[in-house]
Amino acid sequence: MKKLLLSLGIAVAALLALVFAGPAQPPTLAEQVRVSLVKIPYLSVFDNLSYSVDNGVVTLTGEAVQPIIKSYAEQNVKRVPGVTSVQNQIEVLPVSRFDDDIRLRTLSAVRNTSALYRYFLGVNPSIRIVVKNGHVTLDGIVNSQADKQLAFMAANRVPFVFSVTNSLRTTSNL
């Protein structure tokens, strides 16, 4: 009897979940473009890609350390169903050992600060570090204003950095 009641309860719960969940919504074109961008091979914490979608026209913007990232971004987005054209305005950052050194030292400084390491876990870090001619820009999303400030202070401590722009957003600002 207990097994019958348990089975009946599970069946009712599953039925209610289906009823209240409703039909699954297909992903929007913007969501499909986002997924195609995060699947780019060799995309790193030092690349910062963004996009806009307007009636099937996708405009790609941002910065990439390697020219191949710019090419992959355009190729991947062109394959998304519903995309009619792609305007690729991604800037390829200049080759510079000086900037490469700042990138690595800034990553180390930010990642090793307090609890900020969690933003660098996984294959798609939520903080992006863009370095151009010694100038650092932090972009991405963090959980709190305190984390935003900690990342900014850590980047400012890196030697030979000319300036730091803190473009981080918090989850409460989304």
Side-chain angles (χ1 to χ4, degrees), residues 142-157:
V142 293
N143 291 334
S144 67
Q145 192 66 31
D147 286 349
K148 177 179 176 176
Q149 188 62 31
L150 279 172
F152 179 69
M153 289 171 21
N156 266 316
R157 287 192 309 262

Side-chain angles (χ1 to χ4, degrees), residues 15-33:
L15 182 61
L16 287 174
L18 286 173
V19 168
F20 288 111
Q25 297 294 325
T28 64
L29 184 57
E31 290 168 343
Q32 292 177 50
V33 168

Side-chain angles (χ1 to χ4, degrees), residues 127-161:
I127 294 178
R128 301 291 181 172
I129 300 168
V130 177
V131 180
K132 182 178 180 184
N133 300 324
H135 300 276
V136 175
T137 301
L138 301 175
D139 201 351
I141 300 171
V142 293
N143 291 334
S144 67
Q145 192 66 31
D147 286 349
K148 177 179 176 176
Q149 188 62 31
L150 279 172
F152 179 69
M153 289 171 21
N156 266 316
R157 287 192 309 262
V158 175
F160 306 113
V161 169

Side-chain angles (χ1 to χ4, degrees), residues 37 40-44 47-49 60 63-76 88 90-92:
L37 289 175
I40 294 173
Y42 314 114
L43 190 65
S44 77
D47 301 306
N48 189 32
L49 305 182
L60 299 173
E63 302 85 17
V65 175
Q66 300 175 18
I68 194 72
I69 299 296
K70 180 176 180 171
S71 299
Y72 279 145
E74 185 172 348
Q75 291 171 11
N76 284 10
N88 193 344
I90 296 171
E91 175 187 6
V92 177

